Amino acid sequence: PQPGRCAHFVLRKKRFCRMIPAPGRRFCGEHGHEEEQNDRKRIPCPLDPKHTVYEDQLQKHLKKCNSREKPKPVYFVQDINAGLNDVAEIPEKQVPLSSLSIEELQNLITRLKKASNGLELHLEEQILSHQALQEALSDPKNGESAFKHLKQQASILGNMERLHLLGPGRCFVEFGAGRGKLSHWVDIALEKVESVQFLLVERATTRFKVDGKHKRRDSIFERLQVDIQHLCLNKVPILEKKKLPVVGIGKHLCGAATDLALRCLVESYTTCCDGKDEEPAPKRCRAARTEVAPHKSAGNESTTEDHKPVAGIVIALCCHHKCDWTHYVGREFFKSVGLGPVEFHYFQRMSSWATCGMQETTGKASTSEDQTSDTEEHEHTLSRTASGSDTLQGILSVEERKELGCLCKRLIDHGRIEYLQQQGYKAALQYYTESAVSLENVLLTAVPNPSVIPEPTK
């Protein structure tokens, strides 16, 4: 062991423990039971057996253990954004793609193409930038990976500016915030703007957060450590106190998290629990939910007092293979084209073909930059069994599989677009960056439909 370090050898890591023991000890507290002079017994923690605790200090440890059940925050409402409650719609056993026969797979592809017929599959390019990131983009100290993320963040901000979403008096809610870099750049872009709030939603604890960089600024950053599935924005104290329009943002919001975020914003945020945690209030008609202006004008004070508006949504999509029929907001669209949960299961698995390339048929998996540009955030590739590559041997070329994967993605995304349109939003999909920067390069945007929501007064 290194001088001043624990003498315990960690077999799994094939190295000595790097913790610092107490003066006069050879082992740290975690491995103190190996100390010959130590007659105190260490036992596994009953809350999390991955770590141990002195038996005579168990009760004290249980009160502060990080694995203890913590009290739920006021904005936690169980499954408020979960969606489907009828388990009868969910097939009990989902057969993997690899178990399908050639005829079944070809029939599935035929149904996919038929359902996609008439949809807008060629998206418009909106590859933009923003001056807030120009200095960082030109900094030679940034490596290739950092440069790619900066280009994506710059384009997201550029699209927000195009939709007039970067302005004063707003609350930006970043879903799947991670380190909070997207909110960081939005804050930089709004440096001289007043009354700006940021809510960073992330269910996991995150290291290397950038929140601390904003402590001396006027903008307010607050983290909500909660699963989007249980988040009731109406109960977040800062939104209860300040009646600010909300802008929902996200960079690479994985699979079902996108659907949960959409429902959180346009459904439960408007009709959420009038003081009841048990269940959300009954849904209203579209006009009742959406007839709210970002800034109230004369003659528009009737039913908007209790419900705060959503000024816009800008979310970079990804990981469609992690979507879930239970949470999916486009179920009605799927049903309208003769599809259901079984087809959705196969299409969301097939969507991975668009990004993993299915190169296994050549004997080697691709290691190109295009396919690894986002691996630090997401797991794009699936196993051969899950992807069905054995079944596809000699049937479809790599390009055909990529095309079908993209078709699955667009079909799933179109269901989201129709959902937003039914909620009174003008929604669109566009390419916001080049595929060489990220294979997940589609941005979902939505703003209140002018025909439903009056323009703000100037």
Side-chain angles (χ1 to χ4, degrees):
Q2 298 178 4
R5 302 288 177 170
C6 178
H8 173 79
F9 186 78
V10 186
L11 289 174
R12 181 173 58 87
K13 298 183 177 180
K14 298 181 180 179
R15 61 167 174 78
F16 284 94
C17 173
R18 293 174 179 169
M19 298 296 289
I20 301 175
R25 299 286 188 179
R26 293 181 58 241
F27 297 91
C28 68
E30 183 67 19
H31 305 115
H33 59 280
E34 299 181 30
E35 195 88 43
E36 295 81 357
Q37 311 95 306
N38 196 346
D39 55 356
R40 300 172 69 191
K41 183 181 179 182
R42 291 188 72 89
I43 60 174
C45 173
L47 299 178
D48 181 7
K50 291 181 180 179
H51 67 275
T52 61
V53 59
Y54 283 116
E55 189 175 26
D56 57 359
Q57 291 186 339
L58 177 61
Q59 295 306 316
K60 181 180 179 181
H61 170 80
L62 291 178
K63 294 179 181 179
K64 60 180 181 179
C65 178
N66 288 332
S67 299
R68 72 189 187 280
E69 185 176 354
K70 301 176 181 64
K72 298 289 189 294
V74 293
Y75 46 79
F76 181 97
V77 178
Q78 185 72 36
D79 294 329
I80 186 170
N81 305 312
L84 184 65
N85 292 321
D86 185 8
V87 294
E89 280 201 37
I90 308 298
E92 291 185 7
K93 187 176 182 180
Q94 295 178 331
V95 180
L97 276 172
S98 57
S99 300
L100 297 180
S101 65
I102 295 176
E103 292 75 17
E104 289 173 324
L105 188 60
Q106 288 176 334
N107 178 58
L108 200 61
I109 293 172
T110 301
R111 299 191 67 181
L112 170 65
K113 292 181 177 179
K114 181 180 179 181
S116 304
N117 188 30
L119 300 184
E120 183 57 54
L121 302 175
H122 301 286
L123 307 183
E124 181 183 356
E125 281 193 356
Q126 291 288 353
I127 303 175
L128 307 176
S129 189
H130 195 278
Q131 59 182 6
L133 288 95
Q134 292 309 306
E135 183 178 347
L137 284 168
S138 58
D139 188 350
K141 294 181 180 179
N142 287 317
E144 184 177 1
S145 177
F147 180 71
K148 288 181 177 181
H149 287 297
L150 288 169
K151 286 193 70 173
Q152 294 173 68
Q153 290 155 349
S155 185
I156 291 174
L157 261 67
N159 277 278
M160 291 175 68
E161 189 171 53
R162 175 177 63 87
L163 297 170
H164 309 292
L165 296 178
L166 293 178
R170 298 195 171 176
C171 178
F172 295 88
V173 182
E174 183 179 358
F175 294 95
R179 295 172 59 194
K181 292 301 289 286
L182 184 56
S183 293
H184 165 75
W185 290 116
V186 173
D187 185 47
I188 297 296
L190 299 174
E191 187 174 4
K192 299 180 181 179
V193 174
E194 297 179 350
S195 300
V196 179
Q197 319 283 333
F198 290 91
L199 294 177
L200 280 62
V201 183
E202 178 60 63
R203 66 182 179 182
T205 54
T206 308
R207 301 176 66 192
F208 310 117
K209 297 184 288 287
V210 297
D211 309 26
K213 296 182 179 181
H214 308 272
K215 288 182 179 178
R216 297 183 181 179
R217 298 173 59 81
D218 295 332
S219 53
I220 298 176
F221 274 69
E222 182 180 347
R223 277 193 173 262
L224 308 180
Q225 189 174 340
V226 62
D227 194 309
I228 305 171
Q229 182 171 330
H230 313 301
L231 173 61
C232 179
L233 284 176
N234 273 350
K235 292 196 169 188
V236 177
I238 200 169
L239 288 179
E240 281 188 324
K241 183 180 179 181
K242 298 186 177 181
K243 312 299 184 182
L244 296 176
V246 164
V247 178
I249 61 176
K251 176 177 175 287
H252 290 176
L253 196 55
C254 284
T258 294
D259 300 297
L260 295 172
L262 294 179
R263 195 176 279 109
C264 175
L265 288 165
V266 306
E267 220 172 298
S268 65
Y269 184 46
T270 306
T271 62
C272 176
C273 45
D274 298 328
K276 297 180 181 180
D277 291 351
E278 291 82 8
E279 56 184 4
K283 295 181 181 179
R284 306 180 179 187
C285 63
R286 184 177 74 177
R289 278 200 304 268
T290 59
E291 199 167 349
V292 182
H295 300 281
K296 292 182 184 178
S297 57
N300 185 42
E301 59 268 10
S302 57
T303 61
T304 62
E305 189 63 34
D306 296 330
H307 301 292
K308 297 167 278 295
V310 175
I313 301 170
V314 180
I315 295 176
L317 305 172
C318 85
C319 298
H320 293 70
H321 63 275
K322 292 186 178 180
C323 289
D324 191 307
W325 178 259
T326 303
H327 306 310
Y328 182 50
V329 296
R331 292 193 299 266
E332 292 304 318
F333 162 70
F334 257 64
K335 293 176 182 177
S336 71
V337 292
L339 303 174
V342 175
E343 291 81 10
F344 181 84
H345 164 70
Y346 289 128
F347 292 160
Q348 56 106 348
R349 304 307 287 174
M350 291 163 61
S351 69
S352 65
W353 297 349
T355 51
C356 72
M358 295 291 293
Q359 298 281 355
E360 291 92 342
T361 54
T362 64
K364 293 183 179 179
S366 172
T367 57
S368 68
E369 288 294 330
D370 288 0
Q371 292 180 326
T372 59
S373 59
D374 286 313
T375 53
E376 62 191 73
E377 290 185 289
H378 311 277
E379 298 176 3
H380 284 294
T381 57
L382 300 174
S383 66
R384 291 176 60 124
T385 302
S387 302
S389 59
D390 292 335
T391 306
L392 298 172
Q393 289 278 3
I395 301 175
L396 300 169
S397 67
V398 171
E399 288 304 317
E400 287 173 327
R401 289 194 287 272
K402 285 184 178 179
E403 183 179 343
L404 290 171
C406 289
L407 206 58
C408 291
K409 284 177 174 285
R410 296 295 77 79
L411 189 68
I412 292 172
D413 289 340
H414 187 79
R416 291 164 169 167
I417 293 296
E418 284 212 355
Y419 166 79
L420 288 168
Q421 290 173 344
Q422 291 168 3
Q423 302 292 329
Y425 286 81
K426 182 180 179 182
L429 298 168
Q430 50 263 308
Y431 293 118
Y432 78 102
T433 192
E434 301 89 350
S435 59
V437 173
S438 174
L439 289 175
E440 299 283 18
N441 61 342
V442 174
L443 189 71
L444 169 66
T445 60
V447 291
N449 194 328
S451 63
V452 178
I453 299 178
E455 291 289 335
T457 56
K458 296 184 179 179

